[in-house]
Amino acid sequence: MNTPRPCRYAVVIPTVGRPCLADCLAALAAAAGPPPDEVVVVDDRPGARHDRAPLPLEALGALRPLARTVAGGGRGPAAARNTGWRTATCPWVVFLDDDVRVGPDWAFALATDLGCAAPGVGGVQGVIEVPLPAGRAPTDWERCTAGLAKARWATADMAYRRRVLSAVGGFDERFPRAFREDADLALRVLAAGWLLEQGARSTRHPVRPAGPWVSLRQQAGNADDALMLRLHGRAWWERAGAPRGRLRRHAAVTGAGAAAAVLAASGRRRAGAAAALAWALGTAEFARARVAPGPRTPAEVGAMAVTSVAIPPLAVWHRLRGTVRHRGARPLPAVPVDPVVVPVTVRQVSRRGRVS
């Protein structure tokens, strides 16, 4: 059995002042085990500082003297995390999102994760648990959030060595949303020769309340995928373990809808009707794929029907917007995908402290 080495660590939490921050801080304070040496809460709310309500740092309890707030400037989570880790002084930096709740033995498990990390390990990921409702099928939004449980290197709970962050330049601030910025950082860390491990500590990520149109806002992430493609090449999906999504189908459905409108306007009714049928079938298939695994309540079915019409053109628009915006981004050096090497770059640390 490996005995974990004591490790000093800082916790960095970016926030825009959501009410869930208090629960996040309270869970951190209640976690049994070696406490952090620093807690850096990055206030990323826009506007003048004197106009903001104070953040609930009192929820940290006994950890309150170790905590400080720094201003993020409202530039997004990537920039906020950079602001946080650059003010920290500990060898390890643990990033948490403000809507997570670490487990009751999180600090003990973290000590094992970090203490058992070999010198060549640059980062250790926590286990993300997404509680879903019992007694009914999850909604589309709940299933989307549940995907975090399988995501690699999610900064909902991700620890990096500070010197590794410094060596690779931290997060790329061209990613303005909490989307892909963590995968981009991890791929650059791996490209620099470091290993990333899956740790044993667990953190819960409750499903946040969201309106029926949340899936429309999520389509902005397609612009970030354009940047990932530019930086890391076409193999980035496999290397990051990310799902490919439906962009190609969305493009086909959007093209069919546009063709139907153009053909009908030019008097080519038969061709226009055929294109319209292709659009309707594609849209119906997309809506069915989203409704079938869900609770199928009238509200859910209605929201899926409406948003399934709007999502394909929105996704294509954001992808085109991202492609144009990031056309000047320089590709990073290619990293060959070796099917023998890739599985061991992410290793599992058991709760007993053994690396498998």
Side-chain angles (χ1 to χ4, degrees):
M1 177 176 178
N2 295 334
T3 301
R5 301 180 299 275
C7 294
R8 297 175 55 244
Y9 69 95
V11 174
V12 172
I13 306 173
T15 185
V16 290
R18 295 184 295 190
C20 55
L21 175 63
D23 293 330
C24 174
L25 298 179
L28 179 62
D37 290 78
E38 306 171 84
V39 178
V40 183
V41 179
V42 185
D43 187 347
D44 204 39
R45 291 176 291 181
R49 298 187 68 176
H50 64 268
D51 293 335
R52 307 171 189 165
L55 295 176
L57 297 189
E58 66 277 1
L60 284 168
L63 298 182
R64 178 64 183 88
L66 307 175
R68 64 181 180 275
T69 302
V70 296
R75 295 178 295 138
R81 293 191 189 101
N82 281 341
T83 298
W85 74 258
R86 285 170 180 155
T87 68
T89 60
C90 294
W92 284 93
V93 178
V94 184
F95 296 103
L96 297 176
D97 287 347
D98 70 352
D99 54 355
V100 304
R101 301 172 189 175
V102 301
D105 63 346
W106 181 85
F108 275 126
L110 176 68
T112 299
D113 289 348
L114 304 187
C116 291
V121 173
V124 185
Q125 179 181 350
V127 177
I128 305 300
E129 301 173 352
V130 180
L132 294 176
R136 66 164 174 81
T139 64
D140 181 70
W141 169 240
E142 290 166 344
R143 295 194 304 274
C144 178
T145 304
L148 288 170
K150 299 179 180 179
R152 291 185 186 175
W153 316 307
T155 44
D157 183 351
M158 183 71 196
Y160 279 104
R161 295 186 192 271
R162 192 183 185 284
R163 62 191 178 98
V164 170
L165 294 170
S166 181
V168 301
F171 293 88
D172 189 331
E173 297 181 10
R174 288 174 292 183
F175 291 93
R177 285 164 287 275
F179 189 70
R180 303 304 190 206
E181 84 293 352
D182 45 11
D184 166 74
L185 173 62
L187 290 179
R188 287 187 285 115
V189 169
L190 290 171
W194 296 88
L195 297 177
L196 297 176
E197 290 186 342
Q198 172 70 69
R201 66 190 187 277
S202 64
T203 295
R204 289 168 60 89
H205 190 301
V207 179
R208 300 194 311 269
W213 319 122
V214 62
S215 57
L216 302 183
R217 296 194 298 272
Q218 288 180 297
Q219 302 314 307
N222 284 282
D224 303 315
D225 282 350
L227 179 56
M228 289 291 290
L229 180 63
R230 186 70 183 168
L231 294 176
H232 301 284
R234 295 187 179 279
W236 81 264
W237 300 93
E238 290 79 14
R239 287 159 49 212
R244 287 298 301 262
R246 300 175 61 106
L247 184 64
R248 292 181 180 178
R249 295 187 186 183
H250 289 337
V253 170
T254 302
V262 171
L263 290 169
S266 62
R268 301 173 63 182
R269 295 183 178 179
R270 288 189 178 181
L277 178 60
W279 171 85
L281 291 174
T283 301
E285 182 276 331
F286 180 40
R288 182 182 181 281
R290 300 172 71 206
V291 168
R296 306 185 191 183
T297 61
E300 176 76 357
V301 172
M304 294 302 97
V306 173
T307 56
S308 293
V309 173
I311 283 176
L314 268 178
V316 171
W317 161 250
H318 283 297
R319 182 57 175 266
L320 291 174
R321 179 176 61 84
T323 300
V324 171
R325 180 176 182 180
H326 300 300
R327 64 188 182 279
R330 289 188 175 186
L332 299 174
V335 179
V337 178
D338 186 339
V340 177
V341 174
V342 167
V344 301
T345 59
V346 180
R347 298 184 292 172
Q348 178 70 37
V349 180
S350 73
R351 288 192 179 275
R352 295 188 177 182
R354 296 180 180 177
V355 179
S356 58

